Amino acid sequence: MARAGEFKGVVELFTSQGCSSCPPADAELARLVKEGDVLALSYHVDYWNYLGWADTLSSAANTERQYGYARTLRRNNVYTPQMVINGQKHTNGADRQEVDRIIKTLSDEGAGLTVDVAAKIDGIGLKISVGAGEGKANIVAVYFDETTEVDIQRGENSGRAITYHHSVREMETIGMWDGEAMSLMLPASVMSAHPGRGCAILLQVVGKDGAPGRILGASVIEPGSST
Protein backbone atom coordinates (compact mmCIF):
# COMPACT_ATOMS: atom_id res chain seq x y z
CA MET A 1 0.00 0.00 0.00
CA ALA A 2 1.11 3.53 -0.62
CA ARG A 3 -0.13 6.74 0.89
CA ALA A 4 0.47 10.23 -0.41
CA GLY A 5 4.08 11.02 0.40
CA GLU A 6 5.24 7.39 0.59
CA PHE A 7 6.29 7.50 -3.05
CA LYS A 8 8.06 10.71 -4.00
CA GLY A 9 6.59 10.42 -7.46
CA VAL A 10 5.94 8.26 -10.52
CA VAL A 11 8.64 8.04 -13.17
CA GLU A 12 7.82 6.61 -16.59
CA LEU A 13 10.68 5.86 -18.98
CA PHE A 14 10.04 5.57 -22.71
CA THR A 15 12.82 3.45 -24.14
CA SER A 16 13.76 1.02 -26.91
CA GLN A 17 16.14 -1.89 -27.31
CA GLY A 18 17.05 -0.43 -30.70
CA CYS A 19 18.14 2.96 -29.34
CA SER A 20 21.86 3.34 -28.68
CA SER A 21 21.21 6.24 -26.26
CA CYS A 22 18.83 4.21 -24.09
CA PRO A 23 21.00 1.80 -22.04
CA PRO A 24 22.18 4.54 -19.62
CA ALA A 25 18.54 5.52 -19.05
CA ASP A 26 17.57 1.88 -18.56
CA ALA A 27 20.29 1.70 -15.89
CA GLU A 28 18.94 4.88 -14.32
CA LEU A 29 15.47 3.34 -14.13
CA ALA A 30 16.99 0.24 -12.50
CA ARG A 31 18.53 2.54 -9.85
CA LEU A 32 15.15 4.12 -9.14
CA VAL A 33 13.49 0.71 -8.88
CA LYS A 34 16.16 -0.48 -6.44
CA GLU A 35 15.98 2.62 -4.26
CA GLY A 36 12.20 2.35 -4.10
CA ASP A 37 11.47 6.01 -3.37
CA VAL A 38 9.49 6.41 -6.57
CA LEU A 39 7.24 4.14 -8.58
CA ALA A 40 9.34 3.53 -11.71
CA LEU A 41 7.90 2.02 -14.91
CA SER A 42 9.47 1.33 -18.30
CA TYR A 43 7.50 1.61 -21.55
CA HIS A 44 9.16 0.12 -24.63
CA VAL A 45 8.05 1.90 -27.81
CA ASP A 46 7.86 0.39 -31.28
CA TYR A 47 8.80 3.25 -33.62
CA TRP A 48 12.50 2.29 -33.73
CA ASN A 49 11.81 -1.34 -34.68
CA TYR A 50 12.63 -0.65 -38.34
CA LEU A 51 16.30 -0.01 -37.46
CA GLY A 52 17.15 -3.70 -37.61
CA TRP A 53 15.94 -5.01 -34.26
CA ALA A 54 12.31 -5.34 -33.19
CA ASP A 55 12.13 -4.55 -29.46
CA THR A 56 10.83 -7.70 -27.81
CA LEU A 57 9.00 -5.69 -25.13
CA SER A 58 7.57 -2.97 -27.35
CA SER A 59 3.92 -2.31 -28.08
CA ALA A 60 1.80 0.16 -30.00
CA ALA A 61 -0.02 0.96 -26.74
CA ASN A 62 3.23 2.14 -25.14
CA THR A 63 3.94 4.35 -28.14
CA GLU A 64 0.40 5.73 -28.02
CA ARG A 65 0.88 6.64 -24.34
CA GLN A 66 4.04 8.57 -25.14
CA TYR A 67 2.32 10.47 -27.94
CA GLY A 68 -0.48 11.24 -25.52
CA TYR A 69 2.05 12.79 -23.15
CA ALA A 70 3.43 14.80 -26.06
CA ARG A 71 0.00 16.37 -26.51
CA THR A 72 -0.34 17.03 -22.78
CA LEU A 73 3.14 18.56 -22.58
CA ARG A 74 2.55 20.52 -25.81
CA ARG A 75 5.40 18.89 -27.67
CA ASN A 76 5.57 18.36 -31.41
CA ASN A 77 7.61 15.16 -31.19
CA VAL A 78 8.63 12.22 -29.04
CA TYR A 79 12.07 10.85 -28.28
CA THR A 80 13.95 8.13 -26.44
CA PRO A 81 15.06 7.93 -23.75
CA GLN A 82 12.37 10.17 -22.26
CA MET A 83 11.35 10.16 -18.62
CA VAL A 84 7.98 11.65 -17.70
CA ILE A 85 7.62 12.54 -14.03
CA ASN A 86 4.17 12.58 -12.38
CA GLY A 87 2.67 13.07 -15.85
CA GLN A 88 3.77 16.71 -15.74
CA LYS A 89 7.45 17.16 -16.61
CA HIS A 90 9.92 15.35 -18.83
CA THR A 91 13.66 15.06 -19.31
CA ASN A 92 16.34 12.85 -20.82
CA GLY A 93 16.06 9.60 -18.91
CA ALA A 94 19.82 9.29 -18.49
CA ASP A 95 20.13 12.64 -16.68
CA ARG A 96 20.16 11.47 -13.07
CA GLN A 97 20.53 14.89 -11.48
CA GLU A 98 17.71 16.41 -13.54
CA VAL A 99 15.35 13.50 -12.81
CA ASP A 100 16.00 13.87 -9.07
CA ARG A 101 15.63 17.67 -9.28
CA ILE A 102 12.24 17.45 -11.03
CA ILE A 103 10.91 14.93 -8.53
CA LYS A 104 11.93 17.17 -5.62
CA THR A 105 10.64 20.36 -7.25
CA LEU A 106 7.21 18.91 -7.98
CA SER A 107 6.98 17.62 -4.42
CA ASP A 108 8.04 20.97 -2.96
CA GLU A 109 5.45 22.76 -5.12
CA GLY A 110 2.63 20.51 -3.97
CA ALA A 111 2.45 18.85 -7.37
CA GLY A 112 3.61 15.45 -6.22
CA LEU A 113 1.40 12.55 -5.21
CA THR A 114 -1.30 14.17 -3.09
CA VAL A 115 -4.05 11.53 -2.93
CA ASP A 116 -3.77 8.34 -0.87
CA VAL A 117 -3.97 5.17 -2.96
CA ALA A 118 -3.76 1.66 -1.54
CA ALA A 119 -3.95 -1.71 -3.28
CA LYS A 120 -3.85 -5.20 -1.83
CA ILE A 121 -4.76 -8.75 -2.70
CA ASP A 122 -6.85 -10.76 -0.25
CA GLY A 123 -8.84 -13.97 -0.43
CA ILE A 124 -11.61 -12.31 -2.43
CA GLY A 125 -9.69 -10.38 -5.03
CA LEU A 126 -7.96 -7.06 -5.61
CA LYS A 127 -9.02 -4.24 -3.31
CA ILE A 128 -8.17 -0.66 -4.22
CA SER A 129 -8.81 2.28 -1.91
CA VAL A 130 -8.53 5.91 -2.97
CA GLY A 131 -8.64 8.83 -0.55
CA ALA A 132 -10.41 12.14 -0.90
CA GLY A 133 -9.03 15.01 -2.94
CA GLU A 134 -9.86 17.50 -5.64
CA GLY A 135 -10.82 16.92 -9.24
CA LYS A 136 -11.57 13.82 -11.28
CA ALA A 137 -9.27 11.07 -12.49
CA ASN A 138 -9.11 7.56 -13.89
CA ILE A 139 -7.91 4.56 -11.92
CA VAL A 140 -5.45 2.78 -14.18
CA ALA A 141 -3.92 -0.68 -13.70
CA VAL A 142 -0.46 -1.09 -15.25
CA TYR A 143 0.89 -4.64 -15.44
CA PHE A 144 4.67 -5.04 -15.61
CA ASP A 145 7.45 -7.63 -15.56
CA GLU A 146 9.89 -7.35 -12.67
CA THR A 147 13.01 -8.02 -14.79
CA THR A 148 13.61 -9.25 -18.31
CA GLU A 149 17.04 -10.03 -19.76
CA VAL A 150 17.34 -9.58 -23.51
CA ASP A 151 20.21 -10.58 -25.79
CA ILE A 152 20.09 -8.01 -28.55
CA GLN A 153 21.37 -9.53 -31.76
CA ARG A 154 20.97 -6.73 -34.31
CA GLY A 155 20.59 -2.99 -34.53
CA GLU A 156 22.36 -0.21 -32.63
CA ASN A 157 22.80 -2.29 -29.46
CA SER A 158 23.83 -5.49 -31.22
CA GLY A 159 25.80 -7.88 -29.02
CA ARG A 160 24.58 -6.41 -25.74
CA ALA A 161 22.69 -8.30 -23.03
CA ILE A 162 20.54 -5.85 -21.06
CA THR A 163 18.35 -6.49 -18.05
CA TYR A 164 15.22 -4.36 -18.16
CA HIS A 165 13.24 -3.50 -15.04
CA HIS A 166 9.50 -2.93 -14.59
CA SER A 167 8.71 -3.25 -18.30
CA VAL A 168 5.04 -2.48 -18.91
CA ARG A 169 3.14 -5.17 -20.81
CA GLU A 170 -0.47 -4.03 -20.53
CA MET A 171 -2.62 -1.20 -19.19
CA GLU A 172 -6.34 -0.85 -18.51
CA THR A 173 -8.66 1.68 -16.93
CA ILE A 174 -10.52 -0.05 -14.12
CA GLY A 175 -12.48 2.78 -12.53
CA MET A 176 -13.16 6.49 -12.14
CA TRP A 177 -12.69 8.82 -9.16
CA ASP A 178 -14.62 12.04 -8.56
CA GLY A 179 -12.76 13.44 -5.59
CA GLU A 180 -14.62 11.45 -2.93
CA ALA A 181 -12.96 8.66 -0.95
CA MET A 182 -13.83 5.30 -2.47
CA SER A 183 -13.03 1.60 -2.55
CA LEU A 184 -13.06 -0.70 -5.54
CA MET A 185 -13.03 -4.50 -5.42
CA LEU A 186 -11.98 -6.49 -8.48
CA PRO A 187 -12.18 -10.27 -8.87
CA ALA A 188 -9.09 -12.40 -8.35
CA SER A 189 -9.10 -13.20 -12.08
CA VAL A 190 -7.80 -9.68 -12.76
CA MET A 191 -4.40 -10.59 -11.33
CA SER A 192 -4.44 -14.28 -12.26
CA ALA A 193 -4.68 -13.17 -15.91
CA HIS A 194 -1.20 -11.67 -15.47
CA PRO A 195 0.75 -14.41 -13.64
CA GLY A 196 4.07 -13.38 -12.13
CA ARG A 197 3.63 -9.73 -13.00
CA GLY A 198 3.41 -6.70 -10.79
CA CYS A 199 0.53 -4.25 -10.94
CA ALA A 200 0.87 -0.51 -10.49
CA ILE A 201 -2.29 1.42 -9.70
CA LEU A 202 -2.22 5.00 -10.97
CA LEU A 203 -4.75 7.70 -10.16
CA GLN A 204 -4.33 9.82 -13.28
CA VAL A 205 -6.07 12.83 -14.76
CA VAL A 206 -7.01 12.24 -18.39
CA GLY A 207 -7.71 14.95 -20.96
CA LYS A 208 -10.83 15.18 -23.11
CA ASP A 209 -8.82 13.67 -25.97
CA GLY A 210 -7.81 10.73 -23.78
CA ALA A 211 -4.24 11.96 -23.28
CA PRO A 212 -2.65 11.09 -19.92
CA GLY A 213 -2.03 13.97 -17.53
CA ARG A 214 -1.04 14.57 -13.93
CA ILE A 215 -0.71 11.53 -11.67
CA LEU A 216 -2.32 12.25 -8.30
CA GLY A 217 -1.55 9.03 -6.46
CA ALA A 218 -0.09 5.57 -6.91
CA SER A 219 0.34 2.19 -5.32
CA VAL A 220 1.89 -1.09 -6.38
CA ILE A 221 1.40 -4.82 -5.97
CA GLU A 222 4.78 -6.47 -6.29
CA PRO A 223 5.40 -9.28 -8.81
CA GLY A 224 4.72 -12.71 -7.42
CA SER A 225 1.84 -11.63 -5.19
CA SER A 226 -1.06 -14.04 -5.28
CA THR A 227 -4.58 -14.44 -4.03
Side-chain angles (χ1 to χ4, degrees), residues 94-227:
D95 190 340
R96 174 173 183 163
Q97 291 185 342
E98 182 64 6
V99 171
D100 290 343
R101 186 196 68 79
I102 292 174
I103 293 171
K104 184 178 185 304
T105 298
L106 289 175
S107 180
D108 290 346
E109 293 176 349
L113 305 185
T114 56
V115 179
D116 293 342
V117 176
K120 68 177 181 179
I121 293 177
D122 59 25
I124 300 175
L126 173 60
K127 182 178 181 180
I128 299 167
S129 300
V130 182
E134 297 182 358
K136 297 181 179 181
N138 285 0
I139 303 170
V140 182
V142 183
Y143 304 98
F144 61 90
D145 293 334
E146 183 174 19
T147 59
T148 308
E149 186 170 338
V150 179
D151 292 319
I152 302 173
Q153 300 173 13
R154 296 183 300 278
E156 294 186 354
N157 290 315
S158 178
R160 301 188 66 165
I162 300 177
T163 299
Y164 295 98
H165 294 73
H166 285 200
S167 299
V168 171
R169 307 310 301 271
E170 192 173 346
M171 296 170 281
E172 60 178 340
T173 298
I174 56 176
M176 300 182 68
W177 174 80
D178 63 1
E180 298 292 330
M182 63 173 287
S183 293
L184 179 67
M185 179 65 75
L186 302 177
S189 59
V190 171
M191 288 301 295
S192 61
H194 304 275
R197 287 181 175 154
C199 179
I201 302 297
L202 306 180
L203 183 66
Q204 184 161 38
V205 176
V206 177
K208 293 181 179 179
D209 63 350
R214 178 182 172 183
I215 296 174
L216 302 174
S219 187
V220 66
I221 299 170
E222 297 295 340
S225 298
S226 64
T227 56

Side-chain angles (χ1 to χ4, degrees), residues 26-47:
D26 298 320
E28 177 63 16
L29 187 94
R31 172 186 75 89
L32 293 171
V33 169
K34 182 178 180 179
E35 291 180 353
D37 292 336
V38 302
L39 175 54
L41 299 167
S42 179
Y43 297 79
H44 288 244
V45 298
D46 64 359
Y47 50 80

Side-chain angles (χ1 to χ4, degrees), residues 41-59:
L41 299 167
S42 179
Y43 297 79
H44 288 244
V45 298
D46 64 359
Y47 50 80
W48 296 129
N49 286 356
Y50 75 93
L51 293 177
W53 176 256
D55 189 311
T56 60
L57 299 170
S58 67
S59 71

